[in-house]
């Protein structure tokens, strides 16, 4: 086994492999359990929503990119971000949890938060893929 490995526990065989690895790794080995990763549908929905927000809204009097809005919303939900200096000295870059690392529940929380925020705006955000339409297709 290499110094890093990832197993997604979808079958009895994968669970057995995890047990086998645990019995053979040296003391001090770290094991991390995470909920299932966000779905592709959730990811697509988030980016569509971020696009709608970036096109329609400002924050503190200025427009922001979809990537910037993503960091703004992740931070609003309590995900840690900090700004670190760029190597060339030209400003700062955000550093923190990536949305690709979010679990299904965390991504659902993010989407629900964005929907609520959008509804509170004057005028409200007009979603390009209405929620009701998405639910009817399910």
């Amino acid at each position: 086994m290499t110094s890093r490995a990832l197993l997604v526990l979808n079958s009895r065989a994968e669970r057995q492999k995890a047990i086998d690895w645990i019995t053979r790794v040296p003391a001090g080995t770290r094991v991390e359990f995470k909920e299932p990763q966000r779905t592709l549908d959730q990811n697509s929905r988030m980016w569509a929503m971020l696009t709608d927000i970036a096109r329609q809204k400002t924050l503190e009097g200025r427009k922001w990119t979809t990537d910037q809005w993503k960091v703004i919303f992740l931070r609003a939900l309590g995900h840690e971000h900090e700004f670190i200096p760029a190597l060339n000295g030209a400003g700062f870059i955000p550093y923190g949890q990536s949305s690709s690392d979010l679990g299904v529940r965390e991504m659902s929380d993010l989407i629900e938060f964005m929907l609520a925020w959008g509804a509170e705006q004057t005028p409200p955000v007009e979603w390009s893929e209405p929620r009701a339409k998405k639910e009817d297709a399910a």
Side-chain angles (χ1 to χ4, degrees):
M1 186 169 77
T2 66
S3 64
R4 288 184 179 256
L6 172 67
L7 283 175
V8 179
L9 304 177
N10 285 322
S11 70
R12 185 175 293 262
E14 289 158 340
R15 289 175 183 272
Q16 188 56 51
K17 183 184 278 190
I19 292 167
D20 181 51
W21 286 359
I22 288 170
T23 61
R24 293 187 297 123
V25 295
T29 298
R30 298 175 294 161
V31 177
E32 180 178 18
F33 291 94
K34 293 182 178 184
E35 70 173 312
Q37 190 175 22
R38 53 112 173 105
T39 67
L40 291 177
D41 284 345
Q42 285 180 312
N43 189 58
S44 295
R45 178 72 175 146
M46 177 195 69
W47 284 108
M49 293 174 71
L50 289 168
T51 299
D52 292 339
I53 291 166
R55 287 182 179 153
Q56 298 172 40
K57 297 298 171 187
T58 61
L59 182 63
E60 302 214 357
R62 70 172 274 204
K63 292 285 212 176
W64 302 93
T65 67
T66 54
D67 285 322
Q68 291 167 326
W69 277 109
K70 181 181 77 169
V71 171
I72 290 166
F73 281 107
L74 285 170
R75 180 68 179 123
L77 280 178
H79 295 276
E80 292 298 318
H81 285 88
E82 60 182 309
F83 290 87
I84 56 177
L87 283 175
N88 64 3
F92 292 84
I93 52 176
Y95 173 77
Q97 183 176 17
S98 167
S99 61
S100 64
D101 195 41
L102 295 179
V104 170
R105 184 175 30 88
E106 292 171 311
M107 184 63 98
S108 180
D109 290 346
L110 176 61
I111 290 169
E112 290 298 321
F113 182 80
M114 291 167 61
L115 285 168
W117 182 88
E120 293 170 357
Q121 301 307 299
T122 306
V125 173
E126 291 184 33
W127 305 112
S128 59
E129 187 179 341
R131 184 181 172 88
K133 189 175 191 181
K134 182 91 169 164
E135 289 175 351
D136 290 343

